[in-house]
Amino acid sequence: MVVVRAMVNTDKRRVFELYEEAFGEYPRKRFENRWSWQFERNPANELQRSHIWVAEIDGVVVGHLASFPCRFQLCGEVTLLHHDCDLLVAQSARRQGIAQKLVEAYDQLDNPISNAIANYTSANRRIRERLGYRAVHLAPHCTLALSADSLTRLALRSRRSWRRFERAPWWLIARGLGEFAYRGRRLLSRRDHTEPRYSIAPITAATSIFDELWQRARPDYANVAVRDKSFVDWRYFKDPEYEHTVLGAFEGDRLVGYLVYCEASEYQLRTGRILDAFCALGDRECLGPLLSVATADLRNRGVDLVRCLGLHPELRAVVQRQLTHSPARLNRPSWLLAASAGRNEACYEPQGWHVSYADSDLAFS
């Protein structure tokens, strides 16, 4: 008999063990480190607390699903959403419908939409489809390889394939082709340089300039997480795991737009993630010089590739001038379930969304 209930403090240790079983010891330590920050110190918790569930069989916790609140502008109106994340089921308890029961508990929340951003696994996809979620293909990843080796590995698409190539003479051929392609791309790539109109400078603290930017830019977006001072402060400056670099584009003393990036590791490559990019759509050209400065900094650090997830289509068009590669293998839809098909039907229109790594627990893992 599977019982789904609210998590209590005494369940934490077991939940951390489930996380280690799924992802390993080091990710578990990171999960423990970010727990309080993500689920308790989130500024939206002042409006409504995080909801966390566990599933148990005979008194033993075998599953977990969390959600954290987010102030969100949905169809132009600011509301409160809960993002689900960290769906875990013990290996020994799978294929018993436990994951679906946990998602059903999440769906019982008073949520204008239930959402699952960039769920990668086929099992998760099947659960969403059974529960009536619809796939929304919001935006592809954009990627720029910063070395010939990383371009070769990216082209081979998966860890299994490039490990097989590394053990064979074919790797030398693939590596040579990668070097040729990389040099050609560097010669032909378009580069946006800092225009006299903008001054680019790092920002070291969240101040009222982010509130002013949010109020100016919010009419341009139908569906976007509120990106004001309190969000930026919590999400980037108080993150206990990652050290984020926040760059601002200024006209005089006015913040026109910002870009946030950090380092992560993927497929044994050092990856620079463009975690967030935000501005009014009329000022979108400021992202070119912001991205040029960020890419130069990451290249100097020895990072292998730069990656950006999502963004509003008009912002993405600027970013794609520099991050020119869109690996199909990495492009996954988000899944949405609107509480009512009437007024929220516009939520399924991908052109109205601004999504970035900042909106997804992918950035926390």
Side-chain angles (χ1 to χ4, degrees), residues 181-257:
Y182 175 72
R183 291 180 180 273
R185 178 170 291 177
R186 288 293 302 274
L187 288 173
L188 297 174
S189 64
R190 293 181 59 182
R191 298 295 303 277
D192 287 302
H193 297 283
T194 303
E195 302 174 27
R197 177 182 172 187
Y198 304 112
S199 59
I200 308 299
I203 301 174
T204 57
T207 66
S208 60
I209 59 176
F210 289 99
D211 289 332
E212 295 164 6
L213 174 60
W214 166 249
Q215 292 301 327
R216 255 192 342 268
R218 59 174 289 193
D220 293 341
Y221 302 93
N223 308 313
V224 59
V226 173
R227 281 164 159 79
D228 60 6
K229 173 186 171 182
S230 63
F231 172 83
V232 171
D233 185 50
W234 167 73
R235 186 63 187 84
Y236 307 124
F237 292 107
K238 292 182 177 176
D239 188 332
E241 283 298 311
Y242 289 98
E243 182 178 345
H244 301 109
T245 301
V246 182
L247 293 178
F250 294 88
E251 284 184 328
D253 294 330
R254 185 171 72 106
L255 179 65
V256 177

Side-chain angles (χ1 to χ4, degrees), residues 47-58:
L47 303 174
Q48 197 170 123
R49 65 181 178 84
S50 298
H51 291 273
I52 305 173
W53 302 268
V54 295
E56 61 181 13
I57 298 177
D58 296 331

Side-chain angles (χ1 to χ4, degrees), residues 116-130:
I117 295 180
N119 275 277
Y120 282 76
T121 67
S122 57
N124 212 329
R125 183 183 69 245
R126 289 193 295 271
I127 290 170
R128 307 292 170 172
E129 290 172 343
R130 283 197 296 268

Side-chain angles (χ1 to χ4, degrees), residues 304-326:
D304 295 303
L305 57 90
V306 182
R307 178 168 291 159
C308 182
L309 166 70
L311 304 183
H312 187 277
E314 293 196 40
L315 300 187
R316 191 170 70 250
V318 178
V319 172
Q320 282 180 318
R321 297 176 194 168
Q322 296 182 60
L323 307 189
T324 54
H325 186 54
S326 297

Side-chain angles (χ1 to χ4, degrees), residues 61-219:
V61 172
V62 294
H64 164 268
L65 177 65
S67 75
F68 59 96
C70 173
R71 292 170 301 134
F72 207 90
Q73 179 166 283
L74 186 66
C75 301
E77 298 179 8
V78 174
T79 186
L80 194 73
L81 292 185
H82 285 269
H83 287 307
D84 76 332
C85 60
D86 300 320
L87 178 60
L88 306 168
V89 177
Q91 186 77 34
S92 60
R94 293 179 183 173
R95 300 185 183 278
Q96 298 183 46
I98 294 173
Q100 180 164 326
K101 290 179 183 297
L102 288 164
V103 175
E104 287 172 344
Y106 164 68
D107 287 344
Q108 294 302 310
L109 293 176
D110 184 19
N111 238 5
I113 60 169
S114 298
N115 64 95
I117 295 180
N119 275 277
Y120 282 76
T121 67
S122 57
N124 212 329
R125 183 183 69 245
R126 289 193 295 271
I127 290 170
R128 307 292 170 172
E129 290 172 343
R130 283 197 296 268
L131 294 177
Y133 282 66
R134 286 164 56 181
V136 179
H137 294 265
L138 295 175
H141 283 69
C142 301
T143 305
L144 175 68
L146 299 183
S147 68
D149 187 66
S150 60
L151 178 63
T152 305
R153 295 173 190 266
L154 186 65
L156 293 176
R157 299 292 174 90
S158 72
R159 180 187 291 120
R160 180 180 299 175
S161 63
W162 63 251
R163 279 183 175 171
R164 184 170 63 247
F165 268 86
E166 278 187 322
R167 293 195 298 267
W170 292 109
W171 172 254
L172 296 177
I173 298 174
R175 182 65 174 76
L177 292 173
E179 180 73 33
F180 179 78
Y182 175 72
R183 291 180 180 273
R185 178 170 291 177
R186 288 293 302 274
L187 288 173
L188 297 174
S189 64
R190 293 181 59 182
R191 298 295 303 277
D192 287 302
H193 297 283
T194 303
E195 302 174 27
R197 177 182 172 187
Y198 304 112
S199 59
I200 308 299
I203 301 174
T204 57
T207 66
S208 60
I209 59 176
F210 289 99
D211 289 332
E212 295 164 6
L213 174 60
W214 166 249
Q215 292 301 327
R216 255 192 342 268
R218 59 174 289 193

Side-chain angles (χ1 to χ4, degrees), residues 278-354:
F278 189 70
C279 63
L281 294 184
D283 295 318
R284 59 187 174 274
E285 292 303 322
C286 75
L287 297 185
L290 282 168
L291 195 56
S292 289
V293 173
T295 301
D297 178 38
L298 291 167
R299 181 179 279 114
N300 290 337
R301 295 188 199 178
V303 168
D304 295 303
L305 57 90
V306 182
R307 178 168 291 159
C308 182
L309 166 70
L311 304 183
H312 187 277
E314 293 196 40
L315 300 187
R316 191 170 70 250
V318 178
V319 172
Q320 282 180 318
R321 297 176 194 168
Q322 296 182 60
L323 307 189
T324 54
H325 186 54
S326 297
R329 182 175 172 272
L330 295 173
N331 296 332
R332 296 291 186 272
S334 292
W335 298 84
L336 300 179
L337 178 65
S340 61
R343 128 188 199 315
N344 289 330
E345 187 66 20
C347 296
Y348 293 110
E349 174 50 59
Q351 299 300 312
W353 284 83
H354 175 83

